[in-house]
Amino acid sequence: FDQIQKIATAPNEAAQKTAYEAEIDKMLADARFAPMMIKWWRDTLATGGNRGATYPSYEFSATFAASIVVNDRPYSEMFTASSGTCPTFTAGTGGAAGTFTPGNCPGTQPTAGLVANPDLMSNYYGNMAFRRVRNLQEKFACSKFPAEFSTTPTPMGAGTYTSPWPFDKVPGATAKINFQDTSAVICANCHNTMNHQAPLFAFWDEKGAYTAGTIQVMTPVPGNPKTAATDWLVAGETQMAWRNGKPVADIPALGAAMAADPDVQRCINTRLYNWAMSKGDVVNDLAAVPAAITDPFVKVFNANGQKLKPVIKAVFTADDFVKF
């Protein structure tokens, strides 16, 4: 009530605007902002809680993501930080701000922000590591697969091949899974991208434990065998990539490629806009936002070193929110 009164009793519109923006600044500095961000990231990442002593804490990635926002760190560190990606949070009491305590993730896995954090690897365990790849695409690029499209689509079978990758990079009819199938859908439209990423995530088991060089995921065929390299890609095709023409050698390189992708940068601005406007998920609920709407926030994002507090303020003070 007091906040509303400060704004309502300001002498003119300019003063009301100043008073309103001051209240937004106070909220961003409030001790309650950190736990709110942790909850928001839990919801976004679909993680949280604990499954027992043999599993990782499912709070790690949401807490790390929130610490990036609250501590005014560049959003790029979400994908590139080489340490401290499994922090803990201690809530403040008596009006004191809470505390993020940096911590490295258990195990010897490669570290690239939260890209391969053990809680995400466990939470999104599945056949051939495809759920792990889908999670990164949908949460951080704000779109489902197929993720990339050729400028020269090719009619093929029951549809059109639209991927920029050569069609025959994924296994065909003689393999365990025929990713070249065109009888109903063009599997390679999605899988030429997915299969050039999934092998990077193959070495974590269902509990998020990493074993270098030992594949931990299965191929969904009779006998449920461990996946082999040639289940993802044809023999001789070993290049991993974020996108066609953007090869990556390992998880840190993948994280760097994600951080540099304009679609990834726009995605977080879209998610913050939808949060402010109480819209659904940009992917699951098809709550897409036109680029013309998010352009001003992307500009703020880039002008402030990819820090997200200025974007949050820009969204909550935009005409779309204030005058809705």
Side-chain angles (χ1 to χ4, degrees):
F1 177 79
D2 289 342
Q3 291 173 313
I4 294 173
Q5 285 299 103
K6 285 179 184 178
I7 298 166
T9 59
N12 53 51
E13 186 174 342
Q16 288 178 328
K17 181 176 184 294
T18 299
Y20 174 73
E21 291 183 355
E23 293 302 316
I24 297 295
D25 289 333
K26 288 178 183 177
M27 290 179 182
L28 292 174
D30 193 286
R32 292 167 289 184
F33 180 62
M36 178 183 292
M37 274 289 98
I38 292 173
K39 181 184 183 304
W40 187 77
W41 278 108
R42 279 195 205 114
D43 293 343
T44 299
L45 298 174
T47 58
N50 292 283
R51 294 187 185 176
T54 60
Y55 286 84
S57 168
Y58 283 71
E59 301 290 343
F60 281 149
S61 291
T63 302
F64 173 68
S67 74
I68 293 289
V69 181
V70 174
N71 292 331
D72 271 332
R73 295 166 61 183
Y75 184 65
S76 58
E77 292 188 23
M78 195 79 72
F79 315 103
T80 63
S82 59
S83 62
T85 64
C86 287
T88 56
F89 177 75
T90 303
T93 58
T99 302
F100 289 96
T101 302
N104 292 330
C105 299
T108 59
Q109 66 277 332
T111 301
L114 53 61
V115 171
N117 263 9
D119 58 327
L120 294 186
M121 295 297 95
S122 176
N123 199 53
Y124 291 98
Y125 179 80
N127 288 326
M128 300 183 76
F130 288 146
R131 290 189 70 226
R132 292 165 175 169
V133 170
R134 282 185 56 199
N135 175 57
L136 290 181
Q137 174 65 31
E138 294 179 9
K139 298 297 193 301
F140 296 107
C142 284
S143 65
K144 293 185 177 182
F145 283 102
E148 48 185 340
F149 298 88
S150 170
T151 57
T152 55
T154 306
M156 191 176 291
T160 302
Y161 181 59
T162 59
S163 172
W165 289 91
F167 179 75
D168 60 0
K169 294 298 183 183
V170 290
T174 61
K176 292 176 188 171
I177 297 178
N178 180 11
F179 290 109
Q180 294 183 23
D181 180 39
T182 62
S183 60
V185 295
I186 311 299
C187 300
N189 281 338
C190 296
H191 280 283
N192 243 323
T193 303
M194 296 179 76
N195 291 24
H196 282 86
Q197 296 174 12
L200 292 170
F201 297 96
F203 308 112
W204 285 262
D205 67 15
E206 64 179 331
K207 295 182 178 180
Y210 173 80
T211 304
T214 302
I215 291 175
Q216 304 287 342
V217 295
M218 312 298 182
T219 298
V221 295
N224 204 32
K226 289 284 181 72
T227 303
T230 51
D231 293 341
W232 284 296
L233 299 166
V234 295
E237 176 67 9
T238 60
Q239 182 187 96
M240 299 296 103
W242 169 239
R243 298 287 186 259
N244 181 253
K246 296 187 181 297
V248 298
D250 50 27
I251 291 289
L254 177 67
M258 291 179 65
D261 190 329
D263 289 341
V264 172
Q265 296 170 8
R266 184 175 295 275
C267 177
I268 185 59
N269 287 271
T270 299
R271 288 194 174 280
L272 291 174
Y273 180 87
N274 283 353
W275 174 48
M277 300 299 292
S278 299
K279 294 166 69 73
D281 185 82
V282 60
V283 176
N284 294 333
D285 300 319
L286 302 179
V289 182
I293 299 296
T294 55
D295 278 345
F297 310 125
V298 174
K299 184 175 180 179
V300 171
F301 173 84
N302 287 319
N304 287 278
Q306 297 194 356
K307 296 175 182 178
L308 294 181
K309 278 185 181 178
V311 175
I312 294 171
K313 180 176 180 179
V315 170
F316 278 95
T317 56
D319 284 351
D320 282 353
F321 183 81
V322 175
K323 297 184 179 181
F324 180 70

